[in-house]
Structure formats: structure tokens, C-alpha cells
Amino acid sequence: MRRRTFLSAAATAVGALAASPRRLPAAEPVTARFPDGFLWGCSTSAYQIEGAVTADGRGASVWDTFSRTPGKVRDGDTGDVACDHYHRYREDVALMARAGMGAYRFSVAWPRVMPDGAGPVNAAGLDFYDRLVDALLESGVEPWPCLFHWDLPQALQDRGGWTDRAIAGRFADYAVAVARRLGDRVTHWAMLNEPGVVAIFGHGTGGHAPGLTGRATCMAALHHQNLAQGTALQALRAAGGGRWRLGTVLCVQPSVPVGGRPENAGAAALWDAVWNRAGLDPLFHGRYPDLLEADVGPLLRAGDPETIRQPVDWLGVNYYSRMHQQPDPGGLFGTGYGPPPPGTQVTAMGWPVEPGGLTEVLLELRDRYGNPPVVLAENGAAYDDRPGPDGAVEDGERIAFLRAHLLAGHAALAQGANLRGWLVWTLLDNFEWAEGYARRFGLVRVDRDTLERTPKASYHWYADVIRRNGVAA
Ligand code: FCB
């Protein structure tokens, strides 16, 4: 099963969203201004862009194994070369700096740092991130490393991976090893990226690495990631003595009944518990949702809730769309995705375009989770944009998508949400997991043959947003 592919028969074709891709004239009035000091930037992840999968002693990751398994990734694509960011990072940092970005969330590849997942550190692997951090700082872009974005060392997978409790301590050891090397220059750290997606798609439906299936495996992976996150937060807090700002990144998206119909409400509530609350509730309230009691009961040990409930200095929130749920006897939790309301536009991923869901998410964090400082850590869209005869990529649909979501974020800010920053997904067209290179999310086009980078119209538009600290009409 491919990830979050929606039935979108009811959705209209994309296209109507197209906006003028031209650079906005400086005189255009700003309709939505963001607070002074608002953080602007972008996010990427190691396996999706780095390539160089055997360079400098890097060990294999579960995504190397998975992508080389026939039938798992569209067109048999792998991250072997990806965007070759490992060698072209200077050019990529220059692209960020030229757009005026103030922050860059990238992920550190655990198998570069600890090829066997545990034990000795591979200094040559860490050297890459050392160079990257220096290049960013020289260019005025603040590094926001994320310690895990899905590329678990295969050696750890061979020992049970996220289904093994012992991984919590190993993750904390790895986190401390990275922080000791980069922590003199890095302030903001993210622990995990979307543990729920790793659990659901990697360990539940099997559409992502490591390709395991089943509800029990899914919940084990979820709980052990929560434990790992809490253990690493404690270890870094102790090691850093207060100088680091620690956070984590969750995908938070409203789960709503298909058609708003009462008979779908139970499915939506259960999926909400799995997708959203199983990450948020233990972190902020120290307990899992009641609906998952039977699932987590066998996994919970004394002290686990306290380990997981840790203060965070900031919360990263990834948002793409609402999730329309209905009963599905074949679904992992007896629920499944259904169509969005008729007329809803969809992206090339088949994901509904629903900026209003972002406002809801931010207000819910305000009301139910104590209004933590939030950085929107991912938001963006795949479209089938192509270069015109002159090589320019006029991706008006992406501009319209980003604009609508920025306005939705701004609407939440106006109602007291604690939104501090915005990191667009993503800088470069890259390896989109099970979709391979078929889905382009970048502000910058990457030619698959030459790897040449071409900023799209959306890149220039975003640079204008940053320069004005706001969105024009
Ligand atoms: C998120 C992932 C990111 C990317 C976007 C499109 O779920 O964190 O790596 O694939 O979706």
C-alpha cells in the first residue's frame, strides 16, 4: 500500500489553483504580516537528498534495503544518488541563503555516524555534518538538525529495530554523540521526524521501510520511538546543560469523518488517536489515548509515561491535509481513507488541498496542549511542474498552495496560536520515499540526468515572502 494515497474521484483536477508565478512587485501591499523575528526556512531529509550511500564509511539503512527490494518503490528508484547533496551541499546552502532563509532543518543520517547503529562513531560521517553546519553558519542560515528522519541503520533493524525496546538507549547514545560534535555551533535540535508515519507505514501497512505489517508491530514501533525520543531529550538536556533548545517533529492533521457523516465518526476518532494523539498525548500529558489502551497495555512498563513526558522547547508540526476517515474492515485499525468533500482540489500525491486544517491544528495545540512554541516544520506540495521552453518552471499551483497555507497559519496566529517559524517542504525535488522521483516537492527543480538545480517561480515567490515577512494579496 502506498502512503496516504487518497481516493479522489470526487476531487476536481488541479489547475484552477494556478496563480501568477511572477515575482511580486515590491509595491504590492502585504496582507498578512508575520511577527518580527519570525523564522523562515526549509526542511529536507538525509536519505531523500544526500546520495553517496557508501561514501566515507556510511553503513546501510533500512531505506537502502527497502528501495533495492523489487516492487517496493515506484520505478525501482533508490536514494543511491538522490540530489547528490553530499557533494553539492555548498550550492544548496547558497540557494537557501540567496532566498534569505534564516533556518534549515536537515536530518543527520544515523548510519553515517554509527554504521552499525551502536558503538564506535564514524568520524568521517560526522565530518560531513560538520562541514554542512559551518557552511550554513557562514551563509547566515541557522542549522536545525533532526536526529532521525526514517533511515534507521540496517544493522539495528537486524536486531529488531523499533520493535525492540533497547533501541531507546541506543538512540540516546547516538544523539549525544552527534550533539557533542556539532553542539558548539548548533542550538536547535529535533529528535524524531513523524514517528507516527514510521510506525504506521513502516511497521503497520508495510508501504515504507522496513516493510513490516500488523497492528501490534505498528504500536510497538510507535511506543519505542516515543521512549527513544524521551530518553534522548533527557540525555541531551543533561549533556547540554541548558544551552540547547530541544524539540521533536510530529505530523499533526485533523482526522475527520468522510462526508461529515455520523457513521464515520468512530473511524475518524480512532485514526485521530493513532495518527495524532499517540504522539501528542504521551509527550504533553504523559498518557496514551483511551482508545489505544488495549494496544499499548502490553508494551507499557513502569516509568514509561514519565520517560516520554518531557518538556520541549519547541514542537515541530508537519501539515499537508486533513485525513477523511471511514470504516474499512481491511484497514490496519479497521479504518481507511475516503474522499474529501466534492470539489476539493488535490496535489500530484492525491492529497486534498485543505489549508483550513492547518488553522485547526494550531488552535488545537493552543487549547489542548498548552500552546507550545510551534515551528511549522513541513508544508508543501507535489505538482507535475515542468520547465518551459526557456527552462523556467512556472509552478503557480505550488505558489497558490503555499500562500493559502501561510494565510491559514496567519489566521491561527491572529487567534493566539504560538507559531514561531515556517519551514517549507522542501528545497529540492528529491526521493519521495515509495513514490521515488516521480513526485516533485521542490522550490528548486533538480534535473534527474544532470542534477542541475533550477529555482522555480515558487522559490522566487518564497524569497519575496521572507523579504517582506509576510504574504502579499
Ligand atoms: C512527510 C515526510 C517528508 C516528505 C513529505 C512529503 O511526511 O516527513 O520526508 O516525504 O512528507
Side-chain angles (χ1 to χ4, degrees):
M1 181 183 128
R2 292 195 191 275
R3 179 166 66 124
R4 284 176 282 157
T5 302
F6 301 102
L7 293 172
S8 52
T12 57
V14 287
L17 267 177
S20 164
R22 277 173 292 105
R23 248 186 113 102
L24 295 163
E28 193 104 20
V30 173
T31 54
R33 189 177 298 285
F34 285 75
D36 287 348
F38 196 79
L39 189 76
W40 297 105
C42 68
S43 286
T44 66
S45 92
Y47 189 75
Q48 293 181 274
I49 63 167
E50 285 180 1
V53 291
T54 54
D56 301 324
R58 176 186 179 277
S61 79
V62 293
W63 270 97
D64 295 288
T65 309
F66 191 77
S67 63
R68 287 173 195 160
T69 308
K72 297 296 188 192
V73 174
R74 188 189 284 264
D75 301 330
D77 287 342
T78 72
D80 286 3
V81 176
C83 306
D84 196 30
H85 172 78
Y86 193 78
H87 298 112
R88 298 171 195 239
Y89 68 94
R90 287 191 180 283
E91 185 182 347
D92 297 336
V93 170
L95 282 164
M96 295 173 221
R98 233 191 301 145
M101 296 187 194
Y104 173 47
R105 182 175 75 109
F106 58 96
S107 79
V108 176
W110 191 342
R112 284 199 196 281
V113 176
M114 287 183 174
D116 294 325
V121 166
N122 173 33
L126 263 179
D127 285 349
F128 168 67
Y129 299 104
D130 206 81
R131 293 192 292 275
L132 175 62
V133 162
D134 284 345
L136 287 164
L137 291 172
E138 279 160 23
S139 306
V141 184
E142 196 198 336
W144 284 56
C146 177
L147 291 162
F148 177 71
H149 197 129
W150 307 1
D151 45 358
L152 190 77
Q154 181 61 41
L156 282 186
Q157 188 59 43
D158 296 343
R159 286 185 260 163
W162 291 115
T163 66
D164 174 17
R165 263 185 90 84
I167 199 168
R170 298 201 171 105
F171 179 67
D173 291 347
Y174 150 72
V176 169
V178 176
R180 284 206 195 289
R181 178 73 185 272
L182 306 179
D184 56 336
R185 287 151 290 157
V186 167
T187 301
H188 292 88
W189 297 91
M191 303 301 106
L192 304 179
N193 178 75
E194 299 187 354
V197 171
V198 170
I200 294 165
F201 295 99
H203 300 76
T205 64
H208 277 189
L212 302 179
T213 53
R215 183 164 171 164
T217 329
C218 168
M219 289 309 298
L222 198 84
H223 181 58
H224 298 145
Q225 285 179 91
N226 280 337
L227 274 182
Q229 179 181 281
T231 309
L233 283 167
Q234 285 175 297
L236 289 185
R237 212 160 300 279
R243 69 190 148 132
W244 295 322
R245 312 293 293 162
L246 308 177
T248 200
V249 179
L250 303 176
C251 185
V252 189
Q253 313 195 119
S255 173
V256 296
V258 168
R261 288 194 293 277
E263 65 268 29
N264 296 328
L270 182 55
W271 192 246
D272 181 46
V274 176
W275 187 285
N276 297 314
R277 314 279 161 218
L280 288 166
D281 287 8
L283 177 63
F284 288 101
H285 301 322
R287 56 181 312 229
Y288 281 98
D290 291 344
L291 286 172
L292 298 178
E293 208 176 312
D295 292 279
V296 290
L299 298 162
L300 269 177
R301 301 229 186 122
D304 283 3
E306 293 75 19
T307 301
I308 299 173
R309 183 182 194 175
Q310 294 297 322
V312 281
D313 300 308
W314 60 279
L315 177 71
V317 170
N318 295 352
Y319 176 83
Y320 289 92
S321 70
R322 293 195 188 94
M323 305 178 294
H324 301 270
Q325 291 291 302
Q326 60 193 3
D328 174 1
L332 185 62
F333 287 80
T335 77
Y337 286 94
T344 307
Q345 291 155 349
V346 297
T347 68
M349 293 293 277
W351 298 352
V353 178
E354 300 183 288
L358 175 59
T359 314
E360 291 159 25
V361 162
L362 295 171
L363 295 182
E364 207 172 68
L365 290 165
R366 179 196 68 183
D367 296 339
R368 285 176 70 165
Y369 297 99
N371 214 13
V374 167
V375 172
L376 205 281
E378 286 186 25
N379 175 253
Y383 286 109
D384 293 328
D385 36 45
R386 289 171 208 286
D390 59 352
V393 183
E394 304 291 357
D395 56 340
E397 291 164 318
R398 182 170 293 101
I399 292 174
F401 181 99
L402 295 173
R403 177 206 298 273
H405 285 79
L406 279 165
L407 293 176
H410 191 267
L413 257 176
Q415 296 169 69
N418 197 359
L419 181 62
R420 305 289 186 89
W422 198 278
L423 307 175
V424 166
W425 185 268
T426 182
L427 183 70
L428 306 169
D429 289 344
N430 64 27
F431 176 82
E432 176 43 42
W433 309 115
E435 299 296 329
Y437 297 98
R439 298 289 172 260
R440 295 176 174 273
F441 274 90
L443 297 173
V444 175
R445 181 178 175 85
V446 177
D447 182 288
R448 282 311 318 147
D449 298 322
T450 63
L451 300 181
E452 190 190 340
R453 276 82 162 136
T454 308
K456 304 177 189 176
S458 58
Y459 169 93
H460 299 295
W461 175 85
Y462 190 46
D464 272 329
V465 169
I466 295 172
R467 191 168 48 77
R468 298 155 180 254
N469 198 33
V471 182

